[in-house]
Amino acid sequence: MADLRLAGKTAIVTGGGDGIGLGIVKRFARAGAAVMIAEYNEEKGEIAAEAVRSEGGQAQFIRTDVTDRSQMEAAVDATANRFGSIDILVNNAYSGGTFSRAEAMADEHFHQSFAINVFGPKWAMDRALPHMKANGWGRIINICSLNGVNAHIGTVDYNVGKEALRTLTRTVAREWAMLGICANIICPAAASASFREFERLQPSAASSASAENPMGRMGDPEADIGGVALFLASEDARYLTGNTLFADGGGHINGVAWAPELPRPSSEN
């Protein structure tokens, strides 16, 4: 029997053209949701939408830079206009950064991290709120990271951005609970776009991280992470809000090796 838990629901997924975002898009569409793919990369976004439609699902792509408030709000508006409302919002968009010691991390990387991980999601949540409030039902799923929870070295800009998003999500969960809106966090460990970038920059550390995961591998964006998002988006999760779910093969229990080689400032050499 087909799983149609999201039949009649509408969703927007930022960064839905690749990796974890694409995995979530596919699971939502197969469960009956109409999905707007808010993606910066036009080619990836179009391919993802066409892939969903080729399987009989409903999907549309809108090019979106989540660091641009007008574009983020336009994506939410387009979802409501195209599909009639907005029930589910997944803030997943990510942009690759750099590996650096905390004291050497340039301010611009912090600004970029907060633009993507905090302001973009906040603008989307604020814009979606009137629709969810009117429906008396809503699901917000924000993708955060074990990097922030475990304070992994070399990615301080990314870490603080994701932890700020976790705090934002928990606060919204508390304030909007009486409106029928559930807001939760997924901290995944998956072969995502960001992990592929990590593999490129630090192949040895990436290999160790995969090998030392309790399950011995990185998760699959669709099969392992998409299913968790589907649960959170469904009526099955109606009494769950403000939580962080670690979809990571158990990696958060004792931590996973993450020790990239970081050059020290010249004054220490």
Side-chain angles (χ1 to χ4, degrees):
M1 182 180 295
D3 181 351
L4 295 176
R5 276 181 284 175
L6 301 186
K9 299 298 185 184
T10 65
I12 177 171
V13 180
T14 70
D18 192 9
I20 291 172
L22 179 57
I24 292 172
V25 166
K26 289 180 176 179
R27 290 300 295 266
F28 281 9
R30 291 189 184 123
V35 186
M36 180 66 76
I37 300 170
E39 167 64 51
Y40 183 78
N41 186 301
E42 187 169 352
E43 181 180 8
K44 289 182 178 181
E46 291 285 10
I47 290 173
E50 181 55 36
V52 170
R53 291 192 293 264
S54 69
E55 294 183 359
Q58 297 184 71
Q60 184 171 323
F61 158 69
I62 182 169
R63 187 181 184 280
T64 308
D65 178 351
V66 300
T67 69
D68 183 319
R69 181 170 187 163
S70 63
Q71 291 190 39
M72 190 68 264
E73 292 178 344
V76 176
D77 292 345
T79 305
N81 293 336
R82 174 64 178 83
F83 299 125
S85 186
I86 180 166
D87 303 300
I88 304 158
L89 168 64
V90 180
N91 287 301
N92 164 77
Y94 164 81
S95 177
T98 186
F99 289 94
S100 171
R101 294 176 64 86
E103 67 272 24
M105 186 70 71
D107 289 354
E108 63 191 73
H109 295 301
F110 285 94
H111 288 300
Q112 180 73 355
S113 179
F114 271 80
I116 294 171
N117 296 309
V118 181
F119 285 104
K122 182 183 185 302
W123 295 328
M125 288 188 284
D126 290 349
R127 198 71 165 190
L129 176 59
H131 299 283
M132 294 180 178
K133 185 176 180 180
N135 295 336
W137 197 98
R139 298 289 185 269
I140 296 168
I141 303 167
N142 289 332
I143 308 302
C144 292
S145 177
L146 287 166
N147 278 45
V149 175
N150 293 339
H152 288 159
I153 68 172
T155 55
V156 64
D157 55 337
Y158 179 71
N159 299 358
V160 297
K162 287 299 189 181
E163 283 298 273
L165 179 57
R166 276 217 308 153
T167 298
L168 173 61
T169 310
R170 286 164 51 80
T171 303
V172 164
R174 177 63 183 89
E175 294 184 2
W176 296 354
M178 290 296 290
L179 302 177
I181 299 170
C182 299
N184 290 288
I185 301 119
I186 299 176
C187 284
S192 62
S194 60
F195 187 78
R196 294 199 304 269
E197 177 68 4
F198 177 50
E199 284 185 308
R200 184 183 72 81
L201 295 172
Q202 297 284 342
S204 178
S207 178
S208 295
S210 297
E212 294 188 22
N213 182 285
M215 291 191 179
R217 63 178 177 86
M218 287 292 109
D220 179 80
E222 183 178 349
D224 295 320
I225 313 302
V228 176
L230 174 58
F231 162 67
L232 289 176
S234 74
E235 189 64 14
D236 293 334
R238 67 180 189 175
Y239 202 58
L240 184 68
T241 196
N243 282 273
T244 299
L245 275 66
F246 295 98
D248 66 348
H252 70 283
I253 299 170
N254 295 313
V256 175
W258 185 277
E261 293 294 328
L262 300 175
R264 292 185 176 275
S266 56
S267 61
E268 297 183 22
N269 292 334

mmCIF file of all heavy atoms in Angstrom, residues 69 72-73 76-77 86 89 91 118-132 140 168 172 175-176:
data_model
loop_
_atom_site.group_PDB
_atom_site.id
_atom_site.type_symbol
_atom_site.label_atom_id
_atom_site.label_comp_id
_atom_site.label_asym_id
_atom_site.label_seq_id
_atom_site.Cartn_x
_atom_site.Cartn_y
_atom_site.Cartn_z
ATOM 1 N N ARG A 69 16.352 38.392 1.114
ATOM 2 C CA ARG A 69 15.036 38.337 1.748
ATOM 3 C C ARG A 69 13.899 38.349 0.727
ATOM 4 O O ARG A 69 12.925 37.597 0.857
ATOM 5 C CB ARG A 69 14.874 39.513 2.720
ATOM 6 C CG ARG A 69 13.538 39.502 3.443
ATOM 7 C CD ARG A 69 13.497 40.524 4.555
ATOM 8 N NE ARG A 69 12.285 40.394 5.343
ATOM 9 C CZ ARG A 69 12.116 40.920 6.549
ATOM 10 N NH1 ARG A 69 13.103 41.604 7.112
ATOM 11 N NH2 ARG A 69 10.983 40.738 7.213
ATOM 12 N N MET A 72 13.593 34.916 -0.841
ATOM 13 C CA MET A 72 13.091 33.914 0.095
ATOM 14 C C MET A 72 11.590 34.075 0.305
ATOM 15 O O MET A 72 10.829 33.100 0.294
ATOM 16 C CB MET A 72 13.839 34.051 1.433
ATOM 17 C CG MET A 72 13.593 32.916 2.414
ATOM 18 S SD MET A 72 14.278 31.323 1.926
ATOM 19 C CE MET A 72 12.867 30.527 1.159
ATOM 20 N N GLU A 73 11.147 35.318 0.464
ATOM 21 C CA GLU A 73 9.718 35.566 0.643
ATOM 22 C C GLU A 73 8.945 35.252 -0.629
ATOM 23 O O GLU A 73 7.824 34.731 -0.577
ATOM 24 C CB GLU A 73 9.498 37.012 1.074
ATOM 25 C CG GLU A 73 10.034 37.295 2.473
ATOM 26 C CD GLU A 73 9.859 38.744 2.900
ATOM 27 O OE1 GLU A 73 9.613 39.595 2.012
ATOM 28 O OE2 GLU A 73 9.960 39.021 4.111
ATOM 29 N N VAL A 76 8.233 31.509 -0.860
ATOM 30 C CA VAL A 76 7.103 31.101 -0.021
ATOM 31 C C VAL A 76 5.792 31.523 -0.670
ATOM 32 O O VAL A 76 4.823 30.743 -0.739
ATOM 33 C CB VAL A 76 7.236 31.701 1.391
ATOM 34 C CG1 VAL A 76 6.000 31.361 2.229
ATOM 35 C CG2 VAL A 76 8.496 31.176 2.079
ATOM 36 N N ASP A 77 5.747 32.752 -1.166
ATOM 37 C CA ASP A 77 4.527 33.239 -1.818
ATOM 38 C C ASP A 77 4.193 32.397 -3.050
ATOM 39 O O ASP A 77 3.020 32.077 -3.300
ATOM 40 C CB ASP A 77 4.696 34.697 -2.239
ATOM 41 C CG ASP A 77 4.789 35.653 -1.055
ATOM 42 O OD1 ASP A 77 4.442 35.241 0.071
ATOM 43 O OD2 ASP A 77 5.212 36.812 -1.265
ATOM 44 N N ILE A 86 0.552 26.766 2.209
ATOM 45 C CA ILE A 86 1.840 26.159 2.570
ATOM 46 C C ILE A 86 1.689 25.514 3.934
ATOM 47 O O ILE A 86 1.303 26.153 4.911
ATOM 48 C CB ILE A 86 2.997 27.173 2.542
ATOM 49 C CG1 ILE A 86 4.304 26.489 2.936
ATOM 50 C CG2 ILE A 86 2.715 28.382 3.415
ATOM 51 C CD1 ILE A 86 5.543 27.305 2.622
ATOM 52 N N LEU A 89 7.427 23.514 5.797
ATOM 53 C CA LEU A 89 8.608 24.280 5.401
ATOM 54 C C LEU A 89 9.854 23.546 5.879
ATOM 55 O O LEU A 89 9.992 23.259 7.070
ATOM 56 C CB LEU A 89 8.571 25.682 6.014
ATOM 57 C CG LEU A 89 9.854 26.508 5.944
ATOM 58 C CD1 LEU A 89 10.223 26.813 4.496
ATOM 59 C CD2 LEU A 89 9.698 27.795 6.750
ATOM 60 N N ASN A 91 13.873 24.075 5.903
ATOM 61 C CA ASN A 91 15.031 24.936 5.667
ATOM 62 C C ASN A 91 16.280 24.066 5.650
ATOM 63 O O ASN A 91 16.775 23.648 6.692
ATOM 64 C CB ASN A 91 15.124 26.005 6.763
ATOM 65 C CG ASN A 91 14.064 27.071 6.611
ATOM 66 O OD1 ASN A 91 13.991 27.747 5.588
ATOM 67 N ND2 ASN A 91 13.226 27.228 7.635
ATOM 68 N N VAL A 118 20.463 31.373 9.418
ATOM 69 C CA VAL A 118 19.585 32.039 10.396
ATOM 70 C C VAL A 118 18.591 32.966 9.709
ATOM 71 O O VAL A 118 17.375 32.779 9.827
ATOM 72 C CB VAL A 118 20.408 32.814 11.443
ATOM 73 C CG1 VAL A 118 19.470 33.471 12.466
ATOM 74 C CG2 VAL A 118 21.393 31.890 12.151
ATOM 75 N N PHE A 119 19.086 33.940 8.968
ATOM 76 C CA PHE A 119 18.180 34.922 8.391
ATOM 77 C C PHE A 119 17.282 34.309 7.312
ATOM 78 O O PHE A 119 16.073 34.565 7.288
ATOM 79 C CB PHE A 119 18.959 36.121 7.850
ATOM 80 C CG PHE A 119 19.470 37.023 8.931
ATOM 81 C CD1 PHE A 119 20.801 37.007 9.293
ATOM 82 C CD2 PHE A 119 18.605 37.875 9.611
ATOM 83 C CE1 PHE A 119 21.278 37.830 10.313
ATOM 84 C CE2 PHE A 119 19.069 38.696 10.624
ATOM 85 C CZ PHE A 119 20.406 38.679 10.982
ATOM 86 N N GLY A 120 17.859 33.510 6.416
ATOM 87 C CA GLY A 120 17.039 32.875 5.391
ATOM 88 C C GLY A 120 15.906 32.054 5.986
ATOM 89 O O GLY A 120 14.730 32.250 5.634
ATOM 90 N N PRO A 121 16.192 31.127 6.922
ATOM 91 C CA PRO A 121 15.128 30.372 7.558
ATOM 92 C C PRO A 121 14.122 31.247 8.304
ATOM 93 O O PRO A 121 12.915 30.992 8.258
ATOM 94 C CB PRO A 121 15.887 29.451 8.532
ATOM 95 C CG PRO A 121 17.204 29.237 7.857
ATOM 96 C CD PRO A 121 17.534 30.556 7.232
ATOM 97 N N LYS A 122 14.607 32.281 8.988
ATOM 98 C CA LYS A 122 13.677 33.150 9.716
ATOM 99 C C LYS A 122 12.728 33.863 8.767
ATOM 100 O O LYS A 122 11.524 33.944 9.018
ATOM 101 C CB LYS A 122 14.432 34.176 10.551
ATOM 102 C CG LYS A 122 13.481 35.058 11.369
ATOM 103 C CD LYS A 122 14.188 36.125 12.156
ATOM 104 C CE LYS A 122 13.202 36.881 13.051
ATOM 105 N NZ LYS A 122 12.093 37.510 12.282
ATOM 106 N N TRP A 123 13.264 34.390 7.652
ATOM 107 C CA TRP A 123 12.394 35.061 6.684
ATOM 108 C C TRP A 123 11.346 34.093 6.152
ATOM 109 O O TRP A 123 10.179 34.457 5.991
ATOM 110 C CB TRP A 123 13.228 35.620 5.532
ATOM 111 C CG TRP A 123 14.175 36.706 5.935
ATOM 112 C CD1 TRP A 123 14.003 37.626 6.932
ATOM 113 C CD2 TRP A 123 15.459 36.978 5.355
ATOM 114 N NE1 TRP A 123 15.098 38.458 7.007
ATOM 115 C CE2 TRP A 123 16.000 38.093 6.051
ATOM 116 C CE3 TRP A 123 16.199 36.410 4.317
ATOM 117 C CZ2 TRP A 123 17.253 38.636 5.732
ATOM 118 C CZ3 TRP A 123 17.437 36.940 4.000
ATOM 119 C CH2 TRP A 123 17.953 38.043 4.696
ATOM 120 N N ALA A 124 11.751 32.860 5.878
ATOM 121 C CA ALA A 124 10.811 31.869 5.350
ATOM 122 C C ALA A 124 9.751 31.521 6.390
ATOM 123 O O ALA A 124 8.558 31.417 6.066
ATOM 124 C CB ALA A 124 11.568 30.613 4.917
ATOM 125 N N MET A 125 10.168 31.324 7.633
ATOM 126 C CA MET A 125 9.217 30.983 8.681
ATOM 127 C C MET A 125 8.219 32.112 8.913
ATOM 128 O O MET A 125 7.010 31.877 9.050
ATOM 129 C CB MET A 125 9.956 30.642 9.983
ATOM 130 C CG MET A 125 10.680 29.305 9.929
ATOM 131 S SD MET A 125 11.356 28.784 11.528
ATOM 132 C CE MET A 125 12.787 29.847 11.656
ATOM 133 N N ASP A 126 8.721 33.339 8.945
ATOM 134 C CA ASP A 126 7.831 34.480 9.146
ATOM 135 C C ASP A 126 6.809 34.583 8.020
ATOM 136 O O ASP A 126 5.635 34.884 8.254
ATOM 137 C CB ASP A 126 8.642 35.773 9.222
ATOM 138 C CG ASP A 126 9.466 35.894 10.485
ATOM 139 O OD1 ASP A 126 9.263 35.079 11.411
ATOM 140 O OD2 ASP A 126 10.333 36.797 10.552
ATOM 141 N N ARG A 127 7.256 34.335 6.791
ATOM 142 C CA ARG A 127 6.359 34.458 5.634
ATOM 143 C C ARG A 127 5.336 33.331 5.584
ATOM 144 O O ARG A 127 4.195 33.511 5.124
ATOM 145 C CB ARG A 127 7.195 34.461 4.353
ATOM 146 C CG ARG A 127 6.473 35.001 3.137
ATOM 147 C CD ARG A 127 6.287 36.509 3.253
ATOM 148 N NE ARG A 127 5.911 37.099 1.964
ATOM 149 C CZ ARG A 127 5.885 38.403 1.744
ATOM 150 N NH1 ARG A 127 6.200 39.256 2.717
ATOM 151 N NH2 ARG A 127 5.532 38.867 0.558
ATOM 152 N N ALA A 128 5.746 32.149 6.052
ATOM 153 C CA ALA A 128 4.835 30.999 6.036
ATOM 154 C C ALA A 128 3.851 31.028 7.197
ATOM 155 O O ALA A 128 2.783 30.402 7.125
ATOM 156 C CB ALA A 128 5.643 29.697 6.082
ATOM 157 N N LEU A 129 4.179 31.741 8.247
ATOM 158 C CA LEU A 129 3.360 31.730 9.465
ATOM 159 C C LEU A 129 1.892 32.058 9.217
ATOM 160 O O LEU A 129 1.011 31.349 9.723
ATOM 161 C CB LEU A 129 3.957 32.676 10.504
ATOM 162 C CG LEU A 129 3.152 32.844 11.802
ATOM 163 C CD1 LEU A 129 2.972 31.508 12.514
ATOM 164 C CD2 LEU A 129 3.838 33.858 12.719
ATOM 165 N N PRO A 130 1.550 33.126 8.476
ATOM 166 C CA PRO A 130 0.119 33.428 8.298
ATOM 167 C C PRO A 130 -0.665 32.269 7.672
ATOM 168 O O PRO A 130 -1.828 32.033 8.037
ATOM 169 C CB PRO A 130 0.135 34.656 7.377
ATOM 170 C CG PRO A 130 1.458 35.290 7.618
ATOM 171 C CD PRO A 130 2.404 34.144 7.845
ATOM 172 N N HIS A 131 -0.050 31.550 6.743
ATOM 173 C CA HIS A 131 -0.725 30.414 6.113
ATOM 174 C C HIS A 131 -0.936 29.285 7.111
ATOM 175 O O HIS A 131 -2.036 28.717 7.199
ATOM 176 C CB HIS A 131 0.100 29.906 4.923
ATOM 177 C CG HIS A 131 0.303 30.923 3.848
ATOM 178 N ND1 HIS A 131 -0.672 31.258 2.945
ATOM 179 C CD2 HIS A 131 1.386 31.698 3.542
ATOM 180 C CE1 HIS A 131 -0.218 32.188 2.120
ATOM 181 N NE2 HIS A 131 1.032 32.468 2.455
ATOM 182 N N MET A 132 0.104 28.956 7.864
ATOM 183 C CA MET A 132 -0.008 27.880 8.845
ATOM 184 C C MET A 132 -0.978 28.258 9.962
ATOM 185 O O MET A 132 -1.763 27.422 10.429
ATOM 186 C CB MET A 132 1.384 27.557 9.413
ATOM 187 C CG MET A 132 2.346 26.982 8.386
ATOM 188 S SD MET A 132 3.976 26.608 9.116
ATOM 189 C CE MET A 132 4.819 25.899 7.700
ATOM 190 N N ILE A 140 7.446 22.814 10.560
ATOM 191 C CA ILE A 140 8.715 23.442 10.213
ATOM 192 C C ILE A 140 9.822 22.465 10.573
ATOM 193 O O ILE A 140 9.888 21.972 11.711
ATOM 194 C CB ILE A 140 8.909 24.765 10.970
ATOM 195 C CG1 ILE A 140 7.845 25.781 10.537
ATOM 196 C CG2 ILE A 140 10.316 25.325 10.730
ATOM 197 C CD1 ILE A 140 7.775 27.001 11.408
ATOM 198 N N LEU A 168 16.762 29.196 17.374
ATOM 199 C CA LEU A 168 15.635 29.846 16.727
ATOM 200 C C LEU A 168 14.464 28.874 16.601
ATOM 201 O O LEU A 168 13.307 29.223 16.896
ATOM 202 C CB LEU A 168 16.049 30.357 15.349
ATOM 203 C CG LEU A 168 14.950 30.929 14.449
ATOM 204 C CD1 LEU A 168 14.289 32.138 15.095
ATOM 205 C CD2 LEU A 168 15.511 31.281 13.069
ATOM 206 N N VAL A 172 10.745 29.262 18.356
ATOM 207 C CA VAL A 172 9.532 29.292 17.544
ATOM 208 C C VAL A 172 8.596 28.147 17.940
ATOM 209 O O VAL A 172 7.370 28.323 18.008
ATOM 210 C CB VAL A 172 9.905 29.205 16.046
ATOM 211 C CG1 VAL A 172 8.704 28.835 15.206
ATOM 212 C CG2 VAL A 172 10.487 30.528 15.572
ATOM 213 N N GLU A 175 6.772 29.294 21.002
ATOM 214 C CA GLU A 175 5.857 30.416 20.808
ATOM 215 C C GLU A 175 4.675 30.070 19.900
ATOM 216 O O GLU A 175 3.597 30.656 20.042
ATOM 217 C CB GLU A 175 6.619 31.612 20.237
ATOM 218 C CG GLU A 175 7.649 32.187 21.211
ATOM 219 C CD GLU A 175 8.324 33.440 20.676
ATOM 220 O OE1 GLU A 175 7.982 33.895 19.561
ATOM 221 O OE2 GLU A 175 9.217 33.965 21.380
ATOM 222 N N TRP A 176 4.877 29.129 18.966
ATOM 223 C CA TRP A 176 3.824 28.830 18.000
ATOM 224 C C TRP A 176 3.092 27.523 18.275
ATOM 225 O O TRP A 176 2.231 27.108 17.490
ATOM 226 C CB TRP A 176 4.416 28.775 16.586
ATOM 227 C CG TRP A 176 4.973 30.097 16.116
ATOM 228 C CD1 TRP A 176 4.887 31.302 16.750
ATOM 229 C CD2 TRP A 176 5.707 30.334 14.910
ATOM 230 N NE1 TRP A 176 5.533 32.283 16.026
ATOM 231 C CE2 TRP A 176 6.038 31.724 14.892
ATOM 232 C CE3 TRP A 176 6.116 29.534 13.855
ATOM 233 C CZ2 TRP A 176 6.759 32.311 13.844
ATOM 234 C CZ3 TRP A 176 6.832 30.099 12.816
ATOM 235 C CH2 TRP A 176 7.146 31.483 12.813
#
